[in-house]
Amino acid sequence: MWGPNQYEWVVMQFATAYAGIILVSVNPAYQSQELEFVLRKVGCKALVFPTQFKTQKYYEILKRVCPELEQSSHGTLKSKKLPDLSVVISLDSKLPGTFSMDDLMQAGDSSHKKELHDIQKTLDSKEPINIQFTSGTTGSPKGATLSHHNIVNNANLIGIRLQIDQGTRCCLPVPLYHCLGSVGGCMVMAVHGSSLVFPSLSFNAKATLQALDHEKCTHVHGTPTMYIDMLGQPDFASYNLSNLQGGVIAGSSVPPEVMKKIIKNMNMREIVVAYGTTENSPVTFMGFPQDNIIQKTETVGCIIPHTEAKIEDPETGEVLPFNRPGELQIRGYCVMLGYWGDPNRTNEVMTDEKWYKTGDIAVLDEYGYCKIVGRCKDMIIRGGENIYPVEIEQFLHTHPKIQEVQVVGVKDERMGEEICASIRVKAGEECTEEEIKAFCKGKIAHFKIPRYIVFVKDFPLTVSGKIQKYKLRERMETHLHL
């Protein structure tokens, strides 16, 4: 499934699960290179997308990877680069080589019902049902593979913690290709019988506020950036948010001031912070609606039932006592089956005892509340999107004028972090910021294109010659007056 938040996304999510088909969630901003990688990685047999969204022309991007599409009759695609792909479904119009969504809806008859019932008898809750791609530190995304058991139980426990019921009307501006949307939104709706409201195809602060007002929403799920943008609307005071009670804020760390503003100005006294990773289906820690302001602003909440957490010294592997920082590890029903077709990378993050290493530095207290204090690696979280510097560095290294490049996250009031690329150009070359941005456009997803490009002569190094990213980050923030 490749595209923005549409009704058909949800239909596909449940239809595939019913039929035992694995749904692969593809980021709607992916360009042809990224698309080809993920489709090949999992051997995708079918691809569903709208013709276009904003500047993304999905059919055109796919044609770059498989030019055979235009000449093939629907359902019989034979592509050199994507040998497994045979079915292409367009959501909104009939294009050469594709089925339309209408074709698909009308193709079912009573014989298929029986076939479906027979298939359902063979399904097992521990089987894979969803592959969620997360950016990879080695430059290629990893497909976190989740089972029915992972997703349904996580959704059930999220709903219980949020005290959701059939009277709940939840607004969902977060993307469905992320776990927060598909599990915390759609699956919670299915398990607890609440209503879901989609304000727009992709996040739009004004549309979200309008939906909260017109649809009398009681809850909303979003990232800190989304809430900051809603609060920052010039006509914010004109919306009636009196029905709002609570919801979830997740995806990156929440500045305490933002949390206080949300509670006061958006009437969300029961808002909770949620923490997790795609690999954990996703939620492992979550606040209670009645938590006090310190718990809401200084922690990521309390551990979810049926989940174990421990803090380990990343150097020695010893389990640390309460209130001592170390690497957070998780074990339980929520841990993914593994990265699809990647046993080596799965083993890097999973121990023999089935503990999942989050890569986050955290502190646990004796009540089960958790505080995230940093990250083992230098992942950038920009507006809730996880971005790995190595991926961007490897791409920028393909520019003919670049000698060396280092990418770091620098602080940003709205997005939490922004991407900054420090570049050393080759001797005798001249290069501009515009040139680098133009080089990125259309080749990597828009959210991975660096906001800041700084040309440097050298990088801060350790004695052994390794780049000190934390020093580089400080240097860049000073240089950019952040």
Side-chain angles (χ1 to χ4, degrees):
M1 197 69 204
W2 179 41
N5 286 12
Q6 282 172 275
Y7 170 69
E8 292 86 355
W9 217 113
V10 189
V11 172
M12 280 289 169
Q13 184 185 355
F14 290 106
T16 47
Y18 259 103
I21 296 167
I22 300 173
L23 179 76
V24 182
S25 310
V26 181
N27 189 321
Y30 271 5
Q31 299 296 322
S32 54
Q33 249 178 322
E34 297 154 311
L35 178 73
E36 181 186 346
F37 176 84
V38 300
L39 295 185
R40 281 179 73 101
K41 183 78 190 168
V42 300
C44 255
K45 289 184 179 167
L47 182 62
V48 187
F49 55 82
T51 317
Q52 184 172 354
F53 173 64
K54 294 186 178 167
T55 57
Q56 276 289 79
K57 295 183 172 145
Y58 293 102
Y59 186 74
E60 299 302 317
I61 294 171
L62 179 59
K63 271 197 328 196
R64 275 176 231 152
V65 184
C66 55
E68 303 93 340
L69 183 61
E70 262 185 316
Q71 263 53 61
S72 55
S73 59
H74 54 249
T76 61
L77 175 66
K78 293 215 170 359
S79 161
K80 208 160 100 192
K81 284 188 175 171
L82 303 171
D84 300 287
L85 188 67
S86 59
V87 175
V88 177
I89 299 159
S90 164
L91 290 180
D92 42 28
S93 58
K94 187 114 187 197
L95 298 159
T98 73
F99 287 102
S100 71
M101 191 67 183
D102 289 342
D103 296 338
L104 196 69
M105 297 307 271
Q106 281 154 24
D109 60 33
S110 52
S111 68
H112 293 113
K113 279 259 170 75
K114 181 175 180 331
E115 207 182 326
L116 192 60
H117 284 282
D118 292 342
I119 289 170
Q120 285 176 350
K121 288 177 194 147
T122 68
L123 299 184
D124 178 349
S125 68
K126 298 290 203 306
E127 285 173 342
I129 204 59
N130 185 206
I131 298 173
Q132 299 249 351
F133 273 94
T134 68
S135 281
T137 39
T138 56
S140 54
K142 301 177 294 232
T145 308
L146 306 176
S147 67
H148 299 267
H149 187 257
N150 288 146
I151 288 173
V152 175
N153 283 295
N154 201 253
N156 184 40
L157 293 165
I158 289 170
I160 291 169
R161 179 70 53 99
L162 280 175
Q163 295 162 6
I164 275 178
D165 56 29
Q166 290 176 355
T168 302
R169 295 175 67 77
C170 181
C171 181
L172 202 69
V174 293
L176 288 171
Y177 72 90
H178 269 176
C179 263
L180 180 57
S182 61
V183 181
C186 299
M187 206 61 224
V188 168
M189 165 194 76
V191 175
H192 293 280
S194 55
S195 301
L196 270 192
V197 174
F198 292 93
S200 47
L201 290 169
S202 70
F203 175 67
N204 175 306
K206 208 172 184 54
T208 306
L209 287 169
Q210 281 167 346
L212 292 172
D213 181 339
H214 294 176
E215 300 298 329
K216 301 183 166 49
C217 295
T218 58
H219 289 67
V220 57
H221 297 347
T223 64
T225 308
M226 291 175 181
Y227 285 102
I228 289 167
D229 282 2
M230 285 190 273
L231 289 162
Q233 288 302 303
D235 58 348
F236 176 81
S238 69
Y239 297 98
N240 176 5
L241 306 181
S242 60
N243 291 289
L244 266 183
Q245 302 160 17
V248 172
I249 186 164
S252 60
S253 54
V254 188
E257 287 315 303
V258 172
M259 194 65 162
K260 287 172 188 161
K261 265 190 196 156
I262 296 167
I263 294 168
K264 183 169 176 268
N265 301 347
M266 293 183 75
N267 196 39
M268 292 175 68
R269 290 176 300 281
E270 294 178 9
I271 189 170
V272 301
V273 175
Y275 164 83
T277 59
T278 307
E279 291 88 346
N280 293 149
S281 316
V283 177
T284 50
F285 285 86
M286 195 174 187
F288 289 93
Q290 59 275 20
D291 279 343
N292 64 40
I293 192 71
I294 305 244
Q295 288 163 326
K296 281 188 198 285
T297 53
E298 292 183 12
T299 77
V300 292
C302 186
I303 193 154
I304 288 272
H306 307 285
T307 309
E308 291 179 274
K310 68 173 176 178
I311 302 288
E312 231 183 49
D313 184 315
E315 301 295 314
T316 65
E318 107 184 81
V319 178
L320 297 171
F322 289 133
N323 303 310
R324 280 262 304 278
E327 184 179 16
L328 175 63
Q329 298 191 15
I330 301 291
R331 184 165 71 176
Y333 78 91
C334 63
V335 176
M336 65 170 178
L337 300 175
Y339 293 126
W340 188 270
D342 242 332
N344 293 343
R345 288 165 97 183
T346 303
N347 293 335
E348 283 169 18
V349 296
M350 275 206 325
T351 70
D352 294 342
E353 291 85 44
K354 295 280 178 260
W355 286 97
Y356 170 74
K357 303 175 180 182
T358 63
D360 282 319
I361 302 290
V363 176
L364 276 176
D365 74 12
E366 50 274 42
Y367 305 107
Y369 282 80
C370 177
K371 192 181 278 195
I372 304 291
V373 286
R375 293 192 289 284
C376 299
K377 298 204 175 76
D378 298 303
M379 183 173 77
I380 299 167
I381 302 186
R382 179 188 177 276
E385 282 284 359
N386 290 359
I387 297 162
Y388 290 80
V390 175
E391 194 179 351
I392 303 169
E393 288 162 5
Q394 288 181 349
F395 168 74
L396 287 174
H397 270 289
T398 63
H399 191 288
K401 292 184 181 177
I402 290 177
Q403 175 71 42
E404 192 178 1
V405 58
Q406 291 295 329
V407 171
V408 291
V410 290
K411 53 179 175 259
D412 183 80
E413 202 164 53
R414 182 174 158 253
M415 299 306 263
E417 281 184 293
E418 273 289 2
I419 305 167
C420 173
S422 307
I423 295 171
R424 270 198 322 130
V425 292
K426 290 177 180 169
E429 292 282 7
E430 289 286 335
C431 193
T432 65
E433 193 177 329
E434 291 67 36
E435 202 174 325
I436 301 292
K437 289 192 177 177
F439 178 74
C440 295
K441 209 172 175 200
K443 294 205 192 84
I444 54 172
H446 65 87
F447 60 82
K448 294 178 189 169
I449 298 174
R451 162 86 186 274
Y452 302 108
I453 288 157
V454 181
F455 295 97
V456 298
K457 293 271 183 280
D458 60 359
F459 297 103
L461 304 173
T462 63
V463 183
S464 60
K466 282 187 187 164
I467 300 218
Q468 292 176 300
K469 284 222 163 171
Y470 69 98
K471 282 200 175 159
L472 180 62
R473 184 182 299 116
E474 287 165 11
R475 193 185 277 188
M476 289 300 111
E477 287 178 343
T478 308
H479 173 80
L480 296 163
H481 308 295
L482 299 176

